[in-house]
């Protein structure tokens, strides 16, 4: 049976424990995702408390990280989502995403509505990919793909 969390504290504590284990074992998020058999973005979000893992994946992640059976069970629960507390984020990386949405949020909204109509892009039926590519001008660029199902607004 699938269970749900109503208080994010348990999953936050587990995330702290899991990241400490990841660091101690010198594992990458990709290695953890490989053990789970799921995408690196989904597994990372799950370990950080934003998604439930299917039971086999939860057990595999817990085993790799050296976490107990209770932790594996907790990894299966539906969390209370939302990892950024209210207000403007202070972490520079997260702030830049906030800034991008401040600058381009209305542009994205206008283009989505023009191309699709009135509706939203799902964060449930969703895929995320992060890649590092060479910048032709030198250095590196981040290519971030947000791939969500379009859900039209339906009059009722």
């Amino acid at each position: 049976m699938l269970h749900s969390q109503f208080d994010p504290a348990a999953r936050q504590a587990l995330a702290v424990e899991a990241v400490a284990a990841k660091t101690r074992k010198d594992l990458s998020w990709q290695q953890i995702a490989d053990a789970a058999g799921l995408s690196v973005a989904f597994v990372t979000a799950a370990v950080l408390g934003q998604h439930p893992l299917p039971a086999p994946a939860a057990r595999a992640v817990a085993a790799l990280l050296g976490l107990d059976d209770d932790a594996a069970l907790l990894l299966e629960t539906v969390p209370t989502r939302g990892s950024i507390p209210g207000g403007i984020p202070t972490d520079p990386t997260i702030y830049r995403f906030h800034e991008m949405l401040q600058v381009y949020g209305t542009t994205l909204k206008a283009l989505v509505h023009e191309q699709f109509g009135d509706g939203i892009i799902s964060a449930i039926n969703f895929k995320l990919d992060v890649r590092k590519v060479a910048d032709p001008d030198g250095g590196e660029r981040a290519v971030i793909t947000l791939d969500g199902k379009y859900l039209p607004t339906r009059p009722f």
Side-chain angles (χ1 to χ4, degrees):
M1 174 187 305
L2 189 61
H3 294 280
S4 178
Q5 293 291 309
F6 69 94
D7 179 355
R11 287 298 297 269
Q12 288 171 349
L14 177 57
V16 169
E17 182 182 358
V19 169
K22 173 190 175 292
T23 302
R24 270 192 312 277
K25 293 178 174 275
D26 195 29
L27 295 169
S28 69
W29 288 114
Q30 185 63 61
Q31 289 171 306
I32 297 168
D34 290 345
L38 299 167
S39 79
V40 67
F42 188 86
V43 172
T44 302
V47 172
L48 295 178
Q50 298 304 303
H51 292 304
L53 286 174
R59 287 191 300 270
V61 167
L64 180 64
L65 294 175
L67 303 174
D68 63 21
D69 291 342
D70 287 340
L73 187 60
L74 190 55
L75 284 169
E76 296 178 44
T77 64
V78 178
T80 300
R81 292 178 171 99
S83 61
I84 302 172
I88 297 173
T90 57
D91 176 85
T93 303
I94 296 172
Y95 174 78
R96 291 297 174 238
F97 285 103
H98 175 78
E99 179 183 44
M100 287 176 219
L101 286 176
Q102 287 286 59
V103 173
Y104 293 104
T106 53
T107 300
L108 290 167
K109 177 182 171 46
L111 293 173
V112 165
H113 292 314
E114 182 176 284
Q115 293 178 31
F116 293 91
D118 184 16
I120 63 166
I121 306 301
S122 175
I124 300 299
N125 188 337
F126 183 82
K127 296 177 185 174
L128 167 69
D129 186 51
V130 179
R131 291 183 301 117
K132 179 170 55 171
V133 298
D135 186 332
D137 296 327
E140 298 166 333
R141 299 186 68 79
V143 176
I144 300 166
T145 304
L146 308 172
D147 180 351
K149 181 177 176 82
Y150 173 73
L151 302 172
T153 299
R154 294 194 175 134
F156 59 92

